[in-house]
Amino acid sequence: VSFIGASISVASAKVKCLHIHPVILNTGKFFGSGVVLATGFIHILPDAMSTLSDPCLPDSWNQYGAYGGLFAMLAALFMQLLEFLGHQRSRSVAHKRALMKTDHHVKYIIKNEEIEKKTNDLISIKHVEDANNQMNNDHTCTHEINNETEDLETTHSIHNTSEKLKKKTLTQNQGNECENAGEPHNHIEATRHTHSNGDIVIDIIQIEPSPEPLDICEESAHTHGLAFQDDGQQNKISTYLLEFGIALHSVLIGLTLGTTTDSFVALFTALCFHQFFEAIALGAQIANLKTTSIKPAIYMIIFFSLTTPVGIAIGIGIHSGTYNPKSVSSLLITGILDSLSGGILIYVALVNLITAEMGANAHSFYNLSTRLKFLYFTALYLGAAAMAIIGRWA
C-alpha cells in the first residue's frame, strides 16, 4: 500500500502515459497532509502520554505527567535544527561558489584597469615631452611632431589592444553588458593646427567619461549572492526530512502492529489507510524534486515502502520471545519512541506540508483560483477528520 501510494504521484510526473491531472494529485496530497497531522495529534501523542504515565512505571516517571509532550517537543526542535543545518550548509556551499565567480571577474577588471592606467600614463608623458620640445626650435619641433605622431599611433594601438582584450575577456566570462557598463572607457582626441608664427602644434586631449551607474553590475553580483536561495535545494531538504519523519513513524507503527494482541483488524485497517495517504503526500514531494534522473525517486519510494514491513518483522520477533508489554523497559521504549514519532509527524505536517504549500511564502498557491483553494482546504480538513474518526477504533 505504501509503494502504490508513493508511486502514483511520481509515475504521473515522470511517465507521460500515466499522467494524472494535477488537481487530482494535489487534492490527494492535501488530504494526506491532514492525515499526517491527525496521526500525530490523535493516534501517536495521546498513546505516548498514556504509556509514559502507566502505573507500572517507577514513581519518578509518574510524578511528572508531561513526559510525552516533552519528548514530542524535543523531537520537533531536533527536526527544526536538522532543517536549519541542512539549509545553512546548502547556502554556504552556494555562497562560496558565488564568491569564486565574483573573484574571477574582479581579477579581469583589475587587470584591464592596470593596462588602461599604463596607457594613460604613457599618453601624459608624451604630451609633456611634446610641449617642452616645441619651445626649442622649429626644426626640432617638426621632428618632435613626427615622433609624437608615431607615439600617438603607438598609444592608440596599445589602447585599442587593451580595449579589445577587455571586451574579449568580458565576453568570454559573462556574455552580457554588465562589465562594459562598469568599466571606464577613455577616449583620445588629437587635433593639429598652425599658429600665426608658423609653428605646428598637436593638442592631445584625453576625454574622461562621465561616471556611469553600476546598478546593473550590482544587481548581477546580488544575483550571484542569492544563488543559495535556490528553491529546488530547499525543496530537496524538506523532502528528505519529510521522508525521515514518516519513515520513523512507519517503523514504529509496524512494530506496534507486530506486537499487538487485541483489535488487530482495526489497527491494520487504520495503518493501511493512513500509510496510503501519507505515501501520496510524500510521493508528491518527491515528484517535485528537480532531478534529471528518476533513480533517486525510485530509491526513496522503495526505502519508504520497506519501513513498515521491517517494523512489523521486528515486532513479531519481539512478541515471539519473552515480550511483556507491561514491563518497564517495554513501556519506556514504546512511550519515548511514540512521543518522538508524534513530535516529528506534527512538525512535518505543519511546517513541511501545510505551511510550505499553503503558507505566506507559497505564492503559487495564492495565485490559484478561489475554487481550487476551497477544494484543497476541504481536502486537508477531510483528511484530518477521517483520521480522527478512525482514531475512535484504532
Side-chain angles (χ1 to χ4, degrees):
V1 170
S2 300
F3 180 82
I4 293 174
S7 300
I8 290 176
S9 300
V10 176
S12 176
K14 302 295 183 180
V15 183
K16 292 183 179 180
C17 61
L18 300 177
H19 180 70
I20 302 175
H21 198 281
V23 174
I24 299 176
L25 289 178
N26 287 332
T27 302
K29 179 179 69 175
F30 287 114
F31 188 91
S33 300
V35 169
V36 175
L37 182 64
T39 300
F41 273 115
I42 295 174
H43 289 257
I44 305 297
L45 194 56
D47 288 345
M49 292 182 174
S50 176
T51 302
L52 292 177
S53 60
D54 193 280
C56 295
L57 290 175
D59 294 337
S60 58
W61 285 89
N62 291 323
Q63 291 177 357
Y64 183 70
Y67 278 115
L70 173 64
F71 288 116
M73 180 185 68
L74 293 177
L77 293 176
F78 177 71
M79 290 292 291
Q80 193 275 334
L81 179 61
L82 279 182
E83 188 169 8
F84 168 77
L85 293 177
H87 288 299
Q88 182 73 13
R89 175 63 179 172
S90 174
R91 290 166 179 253
S92 177
V93 172
H95 187 60
K96 289 180 180 179
R97 293 177 181 174
L99 288 179
M100 291 176 63
K101 292 182 180 179
T102 304
D103 292 340
H104 186 65
H105 300 324
V106 169
K107 288 179 181 178
Y108 277 105
I109 293 173
I110 293 175
K111 181 179 180 180
N112 293 329
E113 288 180 349
E114 291 176 352
I115 295 174
E116 188 170 2
K117 183 179 179 181
K118 292 179 180 179
T119 304
N120 296 335
D121 291 341
L122 179 60
I123 293 172
S124 299
I125 293 172
K126 294 300 180 182
H127 178 65
V128 172
E129 290 177 354
D130 178 65
N132 292 331
N133 291 331
Q134 286 177 3
M135 298 176 63
N136 294 329
N137 51 58
D138 294 339
H139 177 72
T140 304
C141 179
T142 304
H143 180 69
E144 291 298 329
I145 288 171
N146 294 332
N147 291 338
E148 182 65 30
T149 304
E150 294 175 358
D151 292 335
L152 177 61
E153 293 175 354
T154 303
T155 303
H156 272 294
S157 176
I158 296 173
H159 181 71
N160 293 332
T161 302
S162 65
E163 287 294 328
K164 290 179 181 179
L165 176 61
K166 183 191 304 181
K167 292 180 179 179
K168 181 179 178 181
T169 302
L170 298 175
T171 303
Q172 292 175 348
N173 285 276
Q174 281 294 331
N176 56 35
E177 299 178 359
C178 173
E179 285 82 357
N180 291 333
E183 292 286 335
H185 298 278
N186 295 324
H187 303 280
I188 307 300
E189 290 187 1
T191 60
R192 177 173 176 173
H193 56 86
T194 305
H195 281 187
S196 59
N197 57 5
D199 294 339
I200 300 175
V201 180
I202 295 178
D203 293 334
I204 300 176
I205 304 174
Q206 180 175 345
I207 302 177
E208 295 289 342
S210 59
E212 299 180 4
L214 300 179
D215 295 341
I216 299 176
C217 292
E218 292 177 356
E219 291 178 0
S220 177
H222 185 61
T223 302
H224 288 299
L226 290 177
F228 52 76
Q229 296 181 356
D230 183 18
D231 292 338
Q233 190 68 20
Q234 293 180 0
N235 186 42
K236 184 183 296 185
I237 296 173
S238 299
T239 302
Y240 291 157
L241 290 176
L242 176 64
E243 175 152 13
F244 170 74
I246 297 181
L248 177 60
H249 162 66
S250 299
V251 173
L252 295 178
I253 61 174
L255 181 64
T256 303
L257 184 66
T259 57
T260 188
T261 54
D262 301 325
S263 63
F264 175 85
V265 175
L267 182 60
F268 180 76
T269 303
L271 185 149
C272 290
F273 178 82
H274 90 265
Q275 280 296 104
F276 178 73
F277 286 101
E278 282 182 358
I280 289 180
L282 177 61
Q285 292 295 110
I286 295 175
N288 290 332
L289 293 178
K290 298 179 180 179
T291 56
T292 56
S293 175
I294 197 175
K295 289 183 179 180
I298 295 176
Y299 294 151
M300 295 179 73
I301 292 174
I302 293 176
F303 172 76
F304 174 69
S305 302
L306 295 176
T307 52
T308 302
V310 168
I312 294 174
I314 295 174
I316 292 175
I318 294 175
H319 190 270
S320 61
T322 58
Y323 174 70
N324 180 12
K326 289 295 183 179
S327 65
V328 175
S329 58
S330 297
L331 289 173
L332 290 178
I333 292 174
T334 303
I336 292 174
L337 291 179
D338 281 345
S339 300
L340 297 176
S341 177
I344 290 174
L345 283 185
I346 292 172
Y347 177 87
V348 164
L350 292 176
V351 177
N352 298 125
L353 291 178
I354 298 176
T355 302
E357 297 291 338
M358 297 177 165
N361 294 326
H363 302 295
S364 59
F365 183 82
Y366 282 90
N367 293 331
L368 297 175
S369 64
T370 304
R371 291 183 179 181
L372 285 180
K373 293 177 185 176
F374 178 79
L375 174 63
Y376 294 154
F377 269 105
T378 302
L380 174 67
Y381 299 150
L382 287 178
M387 208 62 203
I389 294 173
I390 294 177
R392 169 65 179 80
W393 297 279

